[in-house]
């Protein structure tokens, strides 16, 4: 019989360790292990060795090795990615920078859920491509990133470290890559020294790994032939192509599935079968002959009091009953009790959590705390339904359930008979001070190179620990074991059926603009809408906007009233820009009672990752640009995802998205210019069949603007009407001087006079994948280079073709437009306008 209970707060302190364990995965469909998978976990429980793989970005990890160590060696294995990939491109949507980093974080967690690894990060911000480790470590705060690597080693305590990159080859690859290896080697030595970052020892302990390897391959030698001839006496060779009969997959197949989670980077992979070699070059420590753990005790006898546990669990492994895993529960519970007595804090915490998961799986125990709604605000009462069911004959009772964050508790004292479900309805009152569900590293404003994290115990975690949890205190035939579950929300979807979502704490009021940037090409008033969203029922208040002194806003204040949670009110303000070129940030402030709210709530929802909430300050960048243009109508061929079309609409162009299959010479005649999105010639297969029509459009008087493409994977031999070779040349310093090679060219003079001022305040980079060879028909417009390099002239090339113009540009307009960079808009307007004066 169900009944409703309103719980009262009961103080209790929860160790951070439980946050660490439970914070790794947001609510998704619960994992329910079959007997074969349980047996695999028991084997892993009996292995006390660990490996830390170190790289720079979310796509740097070697999933073959991670899966091999997790599933063949049965080791604990983790990937430390120094960044979250914030500076890359996004192939599945418009999100860039911090939002892209959030997506890639979740993609890494999805990958680790498949290959069996764990995931860590540092506070380093991926600011984009860097050519040297010196530049990287200047933009990053080297000492802080190094301290984060040391912290990861001290917390995870790896016996072996494997670097993805070579510390000895600066300048030969991405500066982030080399830096990751350099910092790893420094941290290898420092992690064991109490004098290094002593403040960390308040919540962890020193540790010395045994050895460090570099995961080398033919790629680092330039060719397979060169690698075959290389001296491999200091290398360990591993066959990672092993087959797992109990899983029905080869290791390489598992690795491919894991790798394919990187959807935002287009890394879908096909699994392979058969032998597959990985090579590990010893960098520090003694050289093993056949196994990375050689000379390392990986059995329970490595820790005091562990031998008896090892004997019990060895028997569990050898006598495991696949038809009835619950037969192992008496021995597992005995081992659990012994683990609680271990003096080694690290292994006690790690193995306690692991054996609890196995005990739950063996008993078929299902525990769940489901919120009636997907979100709530601080101070709100949340209806919950608890469920517990024991699907074995082993005697299990539910003693009590405690809920966080307010630590309210109910006593149950209920024996759970085999397959008899227990349920309870109750209400959880969230504290007024409950923090919004949002990534911890985005709580404070970051710098170009570093994220700020106020709580040192959060550093390194892949995501924010779950605040809302239910702790089920279970009695397993006289032994109490506490099992913690995140509070989740689930519902029945008409197509997908039972669907799980994370339960979120959201702001009482959120405010947002329809755009992030508003471009004023004229000194004329413009109406701007602000959306106010209610996080709870029955809200009323007022809204005002704040801006720089040269900007006027009318009215000064607008009232709003919203009856239902999730409802919105849209209020319109008139923004009057100044006559001269200027920019400001407009901040919305919603006032409800005596509280003011200025944050917006962003939800990122893709099928391959859990729903993500991001709560950040709401702001609109308003930019008054003095700009002229010729032509009005642009056809846009979408590429790998960018906001260029919306940005062009901001300065008065009409933009039509073109379906590649429908492109013809006749369909293009109406456009003043046609623009291809970034990497369009890498990802839009249909363009190989439409290239003739595009070039015919130019020949007949049109302007075709091709934005950057990578030189690998082009779907056409040449996107241009004349010889053009795309290289990997780029200028990564966004402040690099720009010289005008052809000063009198129309693209620099009509209808806007382009000056050095137009290249101020660019973000992340000047551009990438510049051509390095071209025919005499092309006119190079600009020259630029990073410090210490020769100037490159391929960033903007213009060629007359027939009656029209073909323009190829590697300048990163797709990054500048969302930031409202005036000069980028003015130059692009000239590109569209060329030939129309």
């Amino acid at each position: 019989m169900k009944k409703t209970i309103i719980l009262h707060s009961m103080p209790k302190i929860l160790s951070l360790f439980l946050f660490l364990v439970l914070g790794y995965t947001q609510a998704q469909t619960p994992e329910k292990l079959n007997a074969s998978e349980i047996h695999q976990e028991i084997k892993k429980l009996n292995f006390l060795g660990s490996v830390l793989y170190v790289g720079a970005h979310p796509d740097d990890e070697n999933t073959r090795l991670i899966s091999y160590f997790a599933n063949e060696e049965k080791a604990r294995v983790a990937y430390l990615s120094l960044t979250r990939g914030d500076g890359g491109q996004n192939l599945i949507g418009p999100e860039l920078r911090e939002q892209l980093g959030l997506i890639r974080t979740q993609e890494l967690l999805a990958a680790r859920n498949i290959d069996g690894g764990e995931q860590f990060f540092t506070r380093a911000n991926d600011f984009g491509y860097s050519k040297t480790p010196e530049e990287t470590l200047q933009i990053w705060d080297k000492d802080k990133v190094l301290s984060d690597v040391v912290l990861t080693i001290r917390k995870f305590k790896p016996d072996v470290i494997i670097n993805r990159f070579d510390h000895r080859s600066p300048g030969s690859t991405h500066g982030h890559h080399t830096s990751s290896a350099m910092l790893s080697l420094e941290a290898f030595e420092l992690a064991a020294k109490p004098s290094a970052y002593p403040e960390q020892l308040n919540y962890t302990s020193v540790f010395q790994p045994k050895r460090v390897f570099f995961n080398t391959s033919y790629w680092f030698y330039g060719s397979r032939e060169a690698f075959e001839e290389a001296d491999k006496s200091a290398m360990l060779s591993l066959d990672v192509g092993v087959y797992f009969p109990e899983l029905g997959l080869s290791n390489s197949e598992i690795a491919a599935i894991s790798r394919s989670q990187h959807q935002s980077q287009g890394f879908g992979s096909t699994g392979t079968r058969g032998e597959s070699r990985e090579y590990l070059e010893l960098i520090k420590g003694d050289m093993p002959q056949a196994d990375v753990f050689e000379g390392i005790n990986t059995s329970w006898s490595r820790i005091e009091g562990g031998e008896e546990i090892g004997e019990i669990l060895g028997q569990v492994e050898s006598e495991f009953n696949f038809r009835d895993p619950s037969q192992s529960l008496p021995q597992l519970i005995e081992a659990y009790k012994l683990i609680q007595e271990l003096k080694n804090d690290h292994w006690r915490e790690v193995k306690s959590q692991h054996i609890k998961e196995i005990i739950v799986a063996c008993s078929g125990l299902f525990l769940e705390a489901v919120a009636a709604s997907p979100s709530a605000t601080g101070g709100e009462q949340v209806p919950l339904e608890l469920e517990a069911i024991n699907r074995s004959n082993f005697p299990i009772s539910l003693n009590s359930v405690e809920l966080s964050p307010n630590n309210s508790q109910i006593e149950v004292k209920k024996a759970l008979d085999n397959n008899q479900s227990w349920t309870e309805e109750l209400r959880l009152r969230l504290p007024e001070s409950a923090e919004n569900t949002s990534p911890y590293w985005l709580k404070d404003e970051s710098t170009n190179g570093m994220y700020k994290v106020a709580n040192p115990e959060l550093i390194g975690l892949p995501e924010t620990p779950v605040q809302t949890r239910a702790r089920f205190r279970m009695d397993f035939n006289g032994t109490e074991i506490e099992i913690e579950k995140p509070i989740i929300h689930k519902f029945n979807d008409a197509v997908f059926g039972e669907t799980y979502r994370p339960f979120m704490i959201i702001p009482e009021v959120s405010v947002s603009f329809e755009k992030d940037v508003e471009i004023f090409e004229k000194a004329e008033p413009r109406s701007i809408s602000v959306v106010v969203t209610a996080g709870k029922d029955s809200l009323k208040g007022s809204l005002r906007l704040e801006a720089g002194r040269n900007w006027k806003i009318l009215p000064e204040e607008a009232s709003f009233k919203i009856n239902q949670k999730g409802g919105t009110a849209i209020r319109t303000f008139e923004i009057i820009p100044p006559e001269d070129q200027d920019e400001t940030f407009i901040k919305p402030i919603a006032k409800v009672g005596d509280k003011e709210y200025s944050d917006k709530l962003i939800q990122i929802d893709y099928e391959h990752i859990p729903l993500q909430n991001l709560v950040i300050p709401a702001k609109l960048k308003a930019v008054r640009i003095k700009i002229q243009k010729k032509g009005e109508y642009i056809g846009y061929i979408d590429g790998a995802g960018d906001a260029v079309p919306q940005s062009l609409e901001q300065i008065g162009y009409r933009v039509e998205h073109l379906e590649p299959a429908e492109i013809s010479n006749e369909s293009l005649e109406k456009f003043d210019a046609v623009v291809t999105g970034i990497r369009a010639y890498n990802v839009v297969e249909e363009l190989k069949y439409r290239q003739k029509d595009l070039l015919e459009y130019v020949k007949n008087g049109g302007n075709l603007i091709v934005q950057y493409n990578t030189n690998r994977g082009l779907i056409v031999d040449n996107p241009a009407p004349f010889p053009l070779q795309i290289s990997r040349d780029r200028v990564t310093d966004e402040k690099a001087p720009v010289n005008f090679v052809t000063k009198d060219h129309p693209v620099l003079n009509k209808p806007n006079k382009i000056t050095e001022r137009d290249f101020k305040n660019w973000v992340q980079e000047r551009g990438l994948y510049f051509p390095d060879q071209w025919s005499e028909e092309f006119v190079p417009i600009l020259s630029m280079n990073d410090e210490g390099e020769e100037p490159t002239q391929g960033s903007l090339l213009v060629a007359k073709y027939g009656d029209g113009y073909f323009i190829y540009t590697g300048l990163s307009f797709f990054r500048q437009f969302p930031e409202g960079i005036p000069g980028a808009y003015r130059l692009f307007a000239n590109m569209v306008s060329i030939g129309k004066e």
Side-chain angles (χ1 to χ4, degrees):
M1 179 177 173
K2 296 181 178 180
K3 57 182 178 180
T4 299
I5 305 172
I6 297 179
L7 299 176
H8 301 283
S9 181
M10 179 177 176
K12 181 173 175 69
I13 298 174
L14 179 68
S15 72
L16 180 70
F17 174 72
L18 289 175
F19 278 106
L20 303 188
V21 172
L22 293 164
Y24 284 156
T25 54
Q26 291 281 14
Q28 302 174 72
T29 302
E31 189 174 27
K32 301 167 187 174
L33 303 181
N34 60 40
S36 179
E37 291 167 332
I38 294 172
H39 193 237
Q40 284 290 97
E41 292 303 316
I42 292 170
K43 290 180 181 179
K44 292 179 182 180
L45 185 64
N46 272 329
F47 193 93
L48 278 71
S50 51
V51 177
L52 180 66
Y53 198 89
V54 180
H57 308 109
D59 58 345
D60 292 339
E61 92 276 38
N62 186 333
T63 55
R64 293 182 301 275
L65 272 179
I66 292 174
S67 178
Y68 174 82
F69 285 118
N71 298 300
E72 173 66 10
E73 296 274 15
K74 314 303 181 189
R76 288 186 75 216
V77 56
Y79 175 47
L80 171 60
S81 176
L82 267 60
T83 75
R84 297 175 185 267
D86 329 72
Q89 282 87 55
N90 184 359
L91 296 186
I92 60 173
E95 297 88 358
L96 292 174
R97 293 300 307 150
E98 290 82 1
Q99 293 183 47
L100 176 58
L102 182 55
I103 291 171
R104 291 189 173 179
T105 294
Q106 291 300 318
E107 289 178 337
L108 273 177
L109 288 172
R112 297 295 79 78
N113 190 52
I114 290 165
D115 58 36
E118 299 176 43
Q119 185 62 50
F120 299 102
F121 295 94
T122 74
R123 288 171 287 174
N125 191 343
D126 180 1
F127 55 84
Y129 193 88
S130 175
K131 294 180 177 177
T132 66
E134 290 77 18
E135 179 192 45
T136 295
L137 296 174
Q138 285 176 0
I139 297 175
W140 290 349
D141 185 324
K142 179 191 173 182
D143 187 65
K144 288 181 180 176
V145 181
L146 178 59
S147 77
D148 293 356
V149 181
V150 169
L151 180 62
T152 300
I153 293 173
R154 285 173 170 175
K155 281 186 172 182
F156 187 69
K157 303 192 185 310
D159 298 303
V160 177
I161 295 175
I162 301 175
N163 292 336
R164 184 68 184 97
F165 299 102
D166 191 350
H167 66 288
R168 300 161 296 191
S169 55
S172 64
T173 182
H174 199 320
H176 296 182
H177 292 168
T178 311
S179 296
S180 70
M182 294 168 60
L183 293 172
S184 173
L185 289 180
E186 282 193 63
F188 174 83
E189 303 289 350
L190 293 175
K193 297 179 178 180
S195 59
Y197 308 108
E199 69 282 355
Q200 296 178 1
L201 303 182
N202 292 324
Y203 45 89
T204 188
S205 58
V206 296
F207 184 77
Q208 180 60 66
K210 183 76 171 177
R211 48 183 70 107
V212 180
F213 293 98
F214 159 45
N215 181 198
T216 190
S217 69
Y218 76 88
W219 189 88
F220 295 96
Y221 284 76
S223 69
R224 293 183 185 275
E225 293 75 18
F227 185 60
E228 287 175 3
E229 296 173 2
D231 178 12
K232 298 184 177 62
S233 59
M235 296 183 194
L236 190 65
S237 173
L238 302 175
D239 178 10
V240 299
V242 294
Y243 175 67
F244 304 118
E246 62 273 37
L247 301 178
L249 293 167
S250 72
N251 183 68
S252 300
E253 288 173 312
I254 294 173
I257 298 170
S258 172
R259 185 73 168 168
S260 297
Q261 301 312 300
H262 295 298
Q263 293 187 19
S264 66
Q265 301 187 73
F267 282 166
S269 300
T270 299
T272 61
R273 288 141 294 280
E275 182 180 288
S276 177
R277 288 282 164 184
E278 288 288 342
Y279 293 87
L280 304 178
E281 179 185 351
L282 184 71
I283 303 299
K284 287 190 177 184
D286 57 319
M287 182 66 189
Q289 297 302 308
D291 185 84
V292 298
F293 292 108
E294 195 171 290
I296 301 171
N297 186 354
T298 58
S299 73
W300 278 98
S301 64
R302 79 179 288 173
I303 54 177
E304 182 182 347
E307 288 195 23
E308 185 179 356
I309 299 170
E311 291 174 3
I312 295 172
L313 293 178
Q315 188 177 1
V316 170
E317 181 180 332
S318 63
E319 298 178 358
F320 184 73
N321 188 329
F322 286 86
R323 295 180 67 86
D324 185 6
S326 68
Q327 293 294 316
S328 298
L329 285 173
Q331 292 163 298
L332 287 169
I333 291 166
E334 183 62 28
Y336 170 82
K337 290 190 290 186
L338 292 173
I339 290 172
Q340 307 317 298
E341 299 173 3
L342 291 175
K343 295 179 181 179
N344 186 301
D345 294 340
H346 171 71
W347 286 113
R348 184 181 65 248
E349 292 178 344
V350 169
K351 293 301 183 181
S352 288
Q353 181 60 28
H354 196 181
I355 197 171
K356 283 200 290 186
E357 293 168 356
I358 293 171
I359 288 171
V360 168
C362 284
S363 64
L365 185 61
F366 180 84
L367 303 171
E368 199 167 70
V370 180
S373 61
S375 63
T377 64
E380 191 174 346
Q381 285 191 22
V382 183
L384 298 180
E385 180 170 282
L386 304 178
E387 182 178 1
I389 182 169
N390 169 23
R391 290 171 289 189
S392 73
N393 289 317
F394 192 84
I396 302 174
S397 297
L398 174 59
N399 288 342
S400 64
V401 182
E402 184 176 338
L403 302 177
S404 290
N406 70 2
N407 300 314
S408 47
Q409 180 173 303
I410 59 168
E411 298 296 323
V412 181
K413 301 295 184 183
K414 170 69 175 177
L416 301 178
D417 296 330
N418 187 356
N419 216 31
Q420 299 300 305
S421 178
W422 170 88
T423 60
E424 192 84 50
E425 288 184 352
L426 46 82
R427 290 180 180 271
L428 167 68
R429 182 184 293 277
L430 294 173
E432 293 282 351
S433 59
E435 292 191 1
N436 295 319
T437 302
S438 192
Y440 71 86
W441 65 94
L442 298 178
K443 184 176 180 180
D444 297 316
E445 188 172 354
S446 63
T447 66
N448 187 37
M450 295 294 295
Y451 288 115
K452 297 178 182 178
V453 181
N455 183 351
E457 295 185 51
L458 293 176
I459 293 172
L461 298 186
E463 58 185 345
T464 306
V466 178
Q467 294 181 70
T468 49
R469 306 171 309 280
R471 287 187 289 277
F472 295 83
R473 292 195 174 90
M474 313 300 300
D475 184 296
F476 288 81
N477 199 26
T479 299
E480 184 170 277
I481 300 178
E482 185 176 278
I483 299 164
E484 190 159 289
K485 296 286 184 179
I487 293 174
I488 52 89
H489 172 67
K490 72 176 181 181
F491 58 95
N492 184 68
D493 183 276
V495 175
F496 299 104
E498 186 177 54
T499 302
Y500 283 77
R501 285 285 177 96
F503 172 73
M504 308 281 199
I505 300 176
I506 62 173
E508 184 179 43
V509 179
S510 60
V511 285
S512 63
F513 294 100
E514 293 179 335
K515 305 172 184 175
D516 293 327
V517 176
E518 195 74 38
I519 305 298
F520 292 79
E521 58 169 325
K522 300 177 182 178
E524 297 176 352
R526 184 177 302 175
S527 294
I528 302 295
S529 295
V530 184
V531 181
V532 183
T533 303
K536 59 191 298 185
D537 294 339
S538 303
L539 279 183
K540 63 178 180 179
S542 62
L543 177 69
R544 71 180 191 275
L545 302 182
E546 291 183 351
R549 60 186 179 87
N550 294 328
W551 298 70
K552 294 181 181 179
I553 299 175
L554 296 173
E556 294 184 359
E557 186 177 276
S559 61
F560 63 85
K561 182 179 180 181
I562 307 173
N563 294 326
Q564 291 185 324
K565 175 180 178 177
T568 60
I570 299 176
R571 295 295 176 263
T572 302
F573 294 82
E574 188 174 68
I575 311 297
I576 306 171
E579 284 289 337
D580 295 327
Q581 190 158 299
D582 192 18
E583 59 186 59
T584 188
F585 281 105
I586 299 177
K587 176 183 177 181
I589 301 173
K591 188 172 183 180
V592 177
D594 58 356
K595 295 182 179 180
E596 293 185 341
Y597 301 87
S598 296
D599 288 337
K600 66 177 176 179
L601 172 62
I602 299 171
Q603 287 196 327
I604 299 176
D605 192 6
Y606 288 99
E607 287 185 5
H608 67 301
I609 59 174
L611 176 72
Q612 298 296 300
N613 264 17
L614 175 60
V615 181
I616 56 175
K619 60 182 179 180
L620 170 70
K621 186 175 184 180
V623 184
R624 168 72 173 102
I625 297 179
K626 286 199 168 183
I627 188 171
Q628 299 179 49
K629 59 187 188 298
K630 300 290 184 180
E632 297 180 353
Y633 201 12
I634 293 175
Y636 199 89
I637 302 171
D638 292 318
D642 59 62
V644 171
Q646 300 92 312
S647 300
L648 294 176
E649 290 173 341
Q650 288 257 35
I651 56 174
Y653 287 111
R654 285 194 301 138
V655 180
E656 180 179 328
H657 291 265
L658 300 178
E659 289 295 332
E662 298 175 3
I663 290 175
S664 67
N665 186 37
E666 292 75 18
S667 70
L668 300 177
E669 290 178 349
K670 60 187 176 183
F671 297 112
D672 296 301
V674 172
V675 181
T676 65
I678 59 174
R679 297 175 65 181
Y681 283 95
N682 297 126
V683 299
V684 184
E685 192 74 17
E686 184 69 24
L687 283 182
K688 73 169 63 172
Y689 309 110
R690 306 300 169 184
Q691 181 69 357
K692 181 180 178 181
D693 295 300
L694 289 169
L695 295 182
E696 188 68 20
Y697 160 75
V698 180
K699 194 173 183 179
N700 292 337
N703 289 347
L704 177 60
I705 300 171
V706 176
Q707 298 182 85
Y708 96 90
N709 293 271
T710 64
N711 56 353
R712 295 174 61 184
L714 282 171
I715 58 151
V716 294
D717 294 333
N718 180 13
F722 308 111
L724 178 76
Q725 179 176 289
I726 301 171
S727 73
R728 294 182 63 85
D729 289 351
R730 63 175 75 203
V731 176
T732 61
D733 183 357
E734 64 270 29
K735 298 178 182 178
V738 177
N739 300 307
F740 298 165
V741 176
T742 313
K743 295 182 180 180
D744 59 350
H745 196 281
V747 82
L748 291 177
N749 293 278
K750 299 177 181 179
N752 304 289
K753 179 68 175 178
I754 303 300
T755 68
E756 291 181 5
R757 181 184 177 187
D758 289 297
F759 290 94
K760 287 186 176 180
N761 301 320
W762 280 45
V763 298
Q764 188 160 324
E765 63 200 0
R766 289 297 189 196
L768 64 170
Y769 290 99
F770 299 161
D772 61 353
Q773 294 182 37
W774 51 85
S775 68
E776 62 182 11
E777 286 86 357
F778 284 102
V779 178
I781 306 299
L782 305 172
S783 172
M784 60 187 72
N785 59 277
D786 283 319
E787 186 176 357
E789 295 185 356
E790 292 297 317
T792 176
Q793 296 185 356
S795 63
L796 179 57
L797 301 172
V798 182
K800 190 80 165 65
Y801 180 60
D803 294 331
Y805 287 87
F806 178 92
I807 299 176
Y808 188 95
T809 179
L811 294 171
S812 57
F813 291 102
F814 73 102
R815 294 198 189 279
Q816 313 315 316
F817 285 169
E819 299 296 327
I821 305 301
Y825 281 94
R826 285 163 45 84
L827 177 57
F828 207 96
N830 282 10
M831 291 159 55
V832 173
S833 302
I834 191 168
K836 297 177 175 58
E837 61 275 3

